Amino acid sequence: MRGWLCRRKWKTIVQDYICSPHAESMRKRNQIVFTMVEAESEYVHQLYILVNGFLRPLRMAASSKKPPISHDDVSSIFLNSETIMFLHEIFHQGLKARLANWPTLVLADLFDILLPMLNIYQEFVRNHQYSLQVLANCKQNRDFDKLLKQYEGNPACEGRMLETFLTYPMFQIPRYIITLHELLAHTPHEHVERKSLEFAKSKLEELSRVMHDEVSDTENIRKNLAIERMIVEGCDILLDTSQTFIRQGSLIQVPSVERGKLSKVRLGSLSLKKEGERQCFLFTKHFLICTRSSGGKLHLLKTGGVLSLIQCTLIEEPDTSDDDTKGPGHMFGHLDFKIVVEPPDAAPFTVVLLAPSRQEKAAWMSDISQCVDNIRCNGLMTIVFEENSKVTVPHMIKSDARLHKDDTDICFSKTLNSCKVPQIRYASVERLLERLTDLRFLSIDFLNTFLHTYRIFTTAAVVLGKLSDIYKRPFTSIPVRSLELFFATSQNNREHLVDGKSPRLCRKFSSPPPLAVSRTSSPVRARKLSLTSSLNSRIGALDLTTSSSSSSPTTVHSPAASPPPHTAVPESAPADRAGDSTDMSPCRSPSTTPRHLRYRQPGGQVADSTHCAVSPASAFAIATAAAGHGSPPGFNNERTCDKEFIIRRTATNRVLNVLRHWVSKHAQDFELNNELKMNVLNLLEEVLRDPDLLPQERKATANILRALSQDDQDDIHLKLEDIIQMTDCPKAECFETLSAMELAEQITLLDHIVFRSIPYEEFLGQGWMKLDKNERTPYIMKTSQHFNEMSNLVASQIMNYADISSRANAIEKWVAVADICRCLHNYNGVLEITSALNRSAIYRLKKTWTKVSKQTKALMDKLQKTVSSEGRFKNLRETLKNCNPPAVPYLGMYLTDLAFIEEGTPNFTEEGLVNFSKMRMISHIIREIRQFQQTAYRIDQQPKVIQYLLDKALVIDEDTLYELSLKIEPRLPA
């Protein structure tokens, strides 16, 4: 009797402890450790492939008679990765030894062993960028590239590239931090190893901050190498580490263009959609047009596959002809735009592309135009320094310390942006706004990152206030140092010469190439930059025009004034053919940077003795000169008038450029903030009232106003609430009468509508993990809710059948639906169905699963492998990379990435500076999400099917499902 009472008492004590918060915390803690061991095992396996699949074979290849790579390059690429592998093999063995002592898991001493060896990681981190640059250079050797593809074809690599394996160590330390953070959350304060875990976390965070910066800096190189590897023919321009990836997406290319007129084809033609679909990639210097094979590989078009932006003219509005009153714009619903390409050694041709929506067209136009503007800016800066100060563009950056030298309010990276200026790593809000409005240049990668993430460190009102201030008071925004650089006299320029050599002779240029300047006439077709300024009324024009006279040079006319001393007067050479004038404006980019300019001496005569012209270099120098109420050296009052006018025009163009990007690519900012929208409208209306406004600026302002004022959306931009109202049918279809194709299509349509509705600002700040997540991120929570409801519907529908055969048939049908979702690139739908089939209530039904065919089980295993979370969703990432939009990715994958970044580094440094490297990483993820959001499916709604899918009356809660499962197949006795 006493023994029975003791056993009963102990049983009560154990049951009470099992239900206690402490036991629950320990269970969660143990689960974290088990997950950590699995992740460490996977990481060691990745390092093993890196060392044994790449490093050691390449060492042997470097020792061959005809080595495709040198030993120094092998060491530079792989660094100390072999030592890192040995370190983690020891760490992994220690973790497995701790599992032998389960359930008592003591880990602090393992981290104590790991911490002193972090200097190994620091060496790897410091050289990571150089490693990828060496790899990119080595790939230009065809023998090495062929050998590397052979190694990457090893089944153990699972389709991953070498640079992917080289990046894995960069993510490992932040992963430890997240694990330690979770461990500490479930470790009592009085626990014996809590202090040791906190110490390890603090040390790892210090290294993690450096790692995040390096990962951010090398993101561009890794992206370029990944795209280059996807192109079957290869693409050498992507091996240029100065190329910056901007955007990608699917566009339709009109198949035939003759003499600038579109062929009579219809947008709705299935053959046009299928044959004309192109995967397009925009970089800062080039535009790639590819087709995609069934296997996911890319093929460059044989003609017009690689477009150099320096040779391109972007035309937004198609021309209308007399014999076609409707015009191509009406034919294609104003979704088309032209890229006119004028290669120097071939005949000009035109590429006509159709965007899937007006919003997508506006985004492409905005990005391409800004890339072309960047090239123009770089080219004009080269001319400016050749003519005015005889210093190189790199010397200009070095001379202006605010562009490259660390200070108390800014810290720079080693990586250069698209304008050849060092990227910002940390900076105050004031310095970021200063960079946004620096009239000398505007990097598109900086602009995209800023507009994606500005909500983290400032407000829309502050940004708009800065733009308004630049427009109204442009002279206060220009750095003073640039005055000395741009207006240095020729006498002072001699100070820049070293050993009697001109900097011009020893300069090393990056793309775009330096613009050829000839003092003799050239038969080559010329472009002309003209500056017309009325000195009486102080009204003029700054534009880039195409020389259109085939018999005689055109001349720019302006009121009489003698050219200032030391100023050359450009005159366009006779053109080979006639061309249309192209304005330099935010809406329409100039066709090419001037290649050849013929100069006359300052005293030379022009066509009309009462007119003069200012050289393009002088014009640009004036436009970008430093502020100051006094006149710069060598300028009289008339030149000061020119300077003021051009700076105002440059400031206006900058404001319109930023607003165009903001409105076209971030329309949700204005839809959700009516006050911001009204303030922008007021600013644009004020711009229109400017009497000095140029025609192209007036047109650009009107276009932004039109885009901001129109409330009508494309038909494809439907909301879930609208569809629910449209599906108010008297009777819904049942599961048996619906085909797998109908279910898959409507699931895909719903999933994409819900996914597309998420505004990008909800991805900032991990709002979905906060207590007030429903208020901070309502659309992300709605997406999560929709995922769970669809998964519950699948499980409920299976459990509604009483007999085994019907349940097995239902499982087979849902697996078929999941496979069709995969074919439609709806991987969120695949995961909705596979997660439902893996629920304990269904997975335990062994008798039911025995009735399911082997083919269905094999197909389900294939689908599960595709969407598996193993290796940070490595299979799903690879699949998404090889598919064309439209697609619906699994949102949880991106939320995990964002949480990974947020946990690893803070938004602000200890000095209060914005961590802009982190902003850049967040922007890369948001950009990928928005790529899939902006391309919609062309699937017709079927109200009866949608009503079935959204019928909550069919859904059974989790507890009831499990009880029903036990009733259908009771537990077997032990």
Side-chain angles (χ1 to χ4, degrees), residues 1-13:
M1 184 67 178
R2 182 179 296 176
W4 178 81
L5 289 173
C6 290
R7 287 194 299 273
R8 184 177 180 182
K9 184 177 181 180
W10 274 110
K11 184 178 180 180
T12 303
I13 293 172

Side-chain angles (χ1 to χ4, degrees), residues 194-244:
R194 183 173 181 87
K195 288 185 178 180
S196 298
L197 292 177
E198 288 176 343
F199 176 75
K201 180 171 175 286
S202 64
K203 287 295 182 183
L204 289 171
E205 283 176 344
E206 294 176 7
L207 179 59
S208 176
R209 278 190 284 272
V210 181
M211 283 189 159
H212 271 79
D213 293 339
E214 293 294 335
V215 171
S216 172
D217 293 343
T218 57
E219 178 76 23
N220 175 62
I221 300 175
R222 286 183 281 112
K223 180 70 175 178
N224 290 3
L225 292 176
I227 296 174
E228 194 273 340
R229 190 51 51 89
M230 291 166 59
I231 299 174
V232 174
E233 301 84 1
C235 189
D236 290 342
I237 65 166
L238 298 185
L239 302 179
D240 176 9
T241 55
S242 64
Q243 285 271 16
T244 303

Side-chain angles (χ1 to χ4, degrees), residues 812-922:
E812 292 185 348
K813 186 172 182 178
W814 279 119
V815 172
V817 172
D819 191 44
I820 298 174
C821 285
R822 179 189 62 82
C823 296
L824 294 172
H825 301 160
N826 178 15
Y827 301 102
N828 185 74
V830 173
L831 196 54
E832 286 172 346
I833 296 172
T834 56
S835 63
L837 298 177
N838 281 317
R839 290 190 176 189
S840 57
I842 295 177
Y843 188 77
R844 62 174 298 276
L845 300 176
K846 295 182 180 180
K847 294 179 181 179
T848 303
W849 283 101
T850 56
K851 294 288 185 179
V852 177
S853 65
K854 291 182 179 179
Q855 293 85 351
T856 300
K857 291 179 180 178
L859 179 58
M860 184 176 170
D861 290 340
K862 176 183 174 183
L863 295 173
Q864 286 179 323
K865 185 176 181 181
T866 301
V867 295
S868 170
S869 61
E870 181 184 356
R872 297 177 62 244
F873 295 94
K874 62 180 180 182
N875 293 333
L876 180 56
R877 292 178 197 275
E878 190 67 24
T879 303
L880 287 170
K881 188 172 67 175
N882 293 327
C883 79
N884 288 335
V888 187
Y890 173 53
L891 181 62
M893 177 180 68
Y894 294 116
L895 297 183
T896 303
D897 291 343
L898 291 169
F900 185 79
I901 295 172
E902 293 284 356
E903 291 288 346
T905 51
N907 292 330
F908 298 90
T909 65
E910 296 178 356
E911 295 78 17
L913 303 182
V914 179
N915 187 345
F916 206 67
S917 290
K918 177 180 178 180
M919 303 301 117
R920 203 173 291 113
M921 295 178 69
I922 292 173

Side-chain angles (χ1 to χ4, degrees), residues 459-638:
T459 63
V462 172
V463 177
L464 183 60
K466 182 67 174 178
L467 293 175
S468 178
D469 187 59
I470 292 301
Y471 170 72
K472 296 174 182 177
R473 293 177 291 276
F475 283 86
T476 63
S477 67
I478 307 172
V480 177
R481 174 60 179 155
S482 62
L483 180 62
E484 303 170 6
L485 297 173
F486 280 112
F487 295 102
T489 62
S490 58
Q491 184 176 4
N492 293 335
N493 289 336
R494 296 190 184 99
E495 299 175 2
H496 296 295
L497 302 180
V498 180
D499 298 331
K501 296 181 180 179
S502 169
R504 186 177 178 183
L505 299 177
C506 60
R507 174 169 34 210
K508 293 182 179 179
F509 284 97
S510 56
S511 181
L515 307 181
V517 180
S518 173
R519 294 192 178 273
T520 60
S521 59
S522 171
V524 181
R525 182 173 65 254
R527 299 282 169 185
K528 179 183 63 181
L529 173 68
S530 62
L531 172 66
T532 307
S533 180
S534 174
L535 301 180
N536 304 350
S537 58
R538 297 174 66 175
I539 298 176
L542 172 65
D543 62 348
L544 287 172
T545 54
T546 306
S547 178
S548 58
S549 174
S550 57
S551 58
S552 63
T554 58
T555 307
V556 179
H557 299 282
S558 63
S562 298
H566 309 294
T567 303
V569 182
E571 182 184 5
S572 62
D576 292 343
R577 62 178 184 84
D580 298 326
S581 63
T582 308
D583 294 326
M584 181 179 181
S585 71
C587 308
R588 194 165 174 172
S589 304
S591 55
T592 60
T593 305
R595 293 194 187 90
H596 299 276
L597 296 171
R598 183 162 51 125
Y599 284 81
R600 287 188 176 186
Q601 297 300 324
Q605 298 295 321
V606 290
D608 189 339
S609 61
T610 62
H611 296 83
C612 78
V614 180
S615 76
S618 298
F620 188 75
I622 297 169
T624 54
H629 298 291
S631 300
F635 278 81
N636 55 25
N637 291 334
E638 293 176 343

Side-chain angles (χ1 to χ4, degrees), residues 76 370 405 509 644 850:
S76 298
Q370 188 59 49
K405 189 175 181 180
F509 284 97
E644 292 177 359
T850 56

Side-chain angles (χ1 to χ4, degrees), residues 627-659:
H629 298 291
S631 300
F635 278 81
N636 55 25
N637 291 334
E638 293 176 343
R639 286 296 295 273
T640 304
C641 294
D642 286 346
K643 166 181 163 258
E644 292 177 359
F645 171 78
I646 299 173
I647 287 178
R648 292 188 184 281
R649 300 279 57 82
T650 308
T652 301
N653 272 273
R654 171 55 51 83
V655 172
L656 295 178
N657 249 334
V658 175
L659 287 178

